[in-house]
Amino acid sequence: MILNQYSESELSEAFGIDMSSVEGLGVGAGWGRVAPGVASTSHQHDETEFFVIVAGTGELSVDGRTHPARPGTVVLFEPFESHTITNTGDSDLVFFTQYWRDSARARASALSRTRPHHTDRPQFVFS
């Protein structure tokens, strides 16, 4: 059994917000905290990632589209989707995240003609 609980004392800065790791799950995982009025830095990566919002309110921005975030919200980011999370409330926004590599999913996302790409230049992706 692996048991982990959110702990403010284990948080450190990453992507402009506070994050911690949860080890032993077989995928990358962690807790995140976004202070009121704060937003994560926009980023994208080759992993598939999801957030589960457990406390607070805010907004998720995915490839420039904004969506509400409140407790019970689950969002899955496809590989290479630019994403941010912003706290629009008066208390901490807390979420749990898991992320993993799926080469078929990353390839499909990279080759997609329907999702926005942020450059017209060829891109070389490695990890």
Side-chain angles (χ1 to χ4, degrees), residues 33-100:
R33 176 182 66 185
V34 187
V38 172
S40 65
T41 55
S42 180
H43 63 284
Q44 55 183 319
H45 39 72
D46 67 321
E47 295 98 349
T48 301
E49 179 178 27
F50 75 80
F51 291 175
V52 178
I53 310 301
V54 297
T57 57
E59 293 179 339
L60 298 157
S61 177
V62 184
D63 280 343
R65 295 180 311 274
T66 303
H67 309 275
R70 60 184 176 274
T73 299
V74 175
V75 60
L76 184 130
F77 306 108
E78 295 291 349
F80 310 115
E81 284 184 321
S82 294
H83 53 280
T84 64
I85 185 166
T86 303
N87 184 336
T88 60
D90 297 327
S91 61
D92 286 344
L93 188 156
V94 177
F95 64 95
F96 181 75
T97 182
Q98 285 189 306
Y99 51 93
W100 62 95

Side-chain angles (χ1 to χ4, degrees), residues 16-36:
I17 60 174
D18 297 319
M19 298 290 299
S20 68
S21 293
V22 175
E23 302 298 328
L25 298 180
V27 297
W31 294 99
R33 176 182 66 185
V34 187

